[in-house]
Amino acid sequence: MINMEDSVTLSNSPSLRITASHGVIKVAAKNKGEVSIRNIQLKLLWGYCWWQGLPEVETFLKLFENAVKKVIYDVLPNHELLIDYDIETNDGLEKSSIVILTFNEIGADQISFELIGDVLALEGPDDRGSFSKLTSFRRKIKENVRKTL
């Protein structure tokens, strides 16, 4: 049973929502009456990376972290942002066809944000050869990333 004081506290706590649909990742932050939303168009990002010869996954991670930083700053101006997530791939970053991000904690100036949508999975075509698939267990990534931005 939730008493009224708890429900008021829950609704007033800052939150971060991450959703994905039809090639668009939406990052939205809410704090009291303030809301900020940023969209990441994946097809445009992948095309830009291909055209410029940039590493796709690293570029996406930098852009994603920057989007999180901007939406949180819009609703709660801060000096430092803590972002903590686990990254898991089925090969090295640039050969991987699956990248899974699991968010553990996101906070600004010691204020934790409630995470709504704490797992983001990106999956693309697997164009690795048979030998590459067999040896990918050596290159798989499963690590924690903890940054202060």
Side-chain angles (χ1 to χ4, degrees):
M1 175 188 259
I2 297 177
N3 82 31
M4 277 309 262
E5 291 173 14
D6 291 338
S7 65
V8 169
T9 304
L10 288 175
S11 66
N12 287 335
S13 66
S15 63
L16 181 73
R17 179 181 297 256
I18 302 164
T19 58
S21 177
H22 303 293
V24 177
I25 295 177
K26 187 177 286 189
V27 181
K30 178 182 168 200
N31 184 28
K32 299 179 183 162
E34 300 291 319
V35 176
S36 180
I37 300 171
R38 297 271 193 260
N39 292 324
I40 299 173
Q41 301 281 339
L42 292 176
K43 287 184 180 181
L44 294 175
L45 176 63
W46 301 149
Y48 177 76
C49 290
W50 174 78
W51 187 258
Q52 298 294 323
L54 298 172
E56 292 91 358
V57 177
E58 286 98 338
T59 303
F60 167 75
L61 290 173
K62 287 178 189 175
L63 180 65
F64 182 77
E65 289 169 357
N66 196 21
V68 169
K69 182 178 179 179
K70 284 181 181 181
V71 297
I72 288 178
Y73 189 83
D74 287 348
V75 299
L76 181 67
N78 59 77
H79 295 290
E80 66 179 36
L81 175 74
L82 170 68
I83 183 167
D84 182 357
Y85 61 91
D86 296 325
I87 183 168
E88 189 174 344
T89 65
N90 66 342
D91 206 328
L93 276 182
E94 289 312 312
K95 293 288 184 181
S96 183
S97 61
I98 298 174
V99 177
I100 300 172
L101 303 176
T102 306
F103 300 96
N104 303 318
E105 179 183 5
I106 296 178
D109 291 341
Q110 309 297 323
I111 298 172
S112 243
F113 273 70
E114 176 188 355
L115 296 171
I116 303 167
D118 61 346
V119 176
L120 179 62
L122 303 172
E123 188 172 346
D126 193 352
D127 57 358
R128 299 174 295 159
S130 298
F131 183 72
S132 182
K133 288 180 185 178
L134 286 173
T135 60
S136 69
F137 69 92
R138 293 184 223 162
R139 297 179 302 274
K140 286 182 180 181
I141 295 173
K142 187 172 187 175
E143 62 185 45
N144 180 262
V145 177
R146 187 173 180 91
K147 290 183 178 181
T148 303
L149 306 172

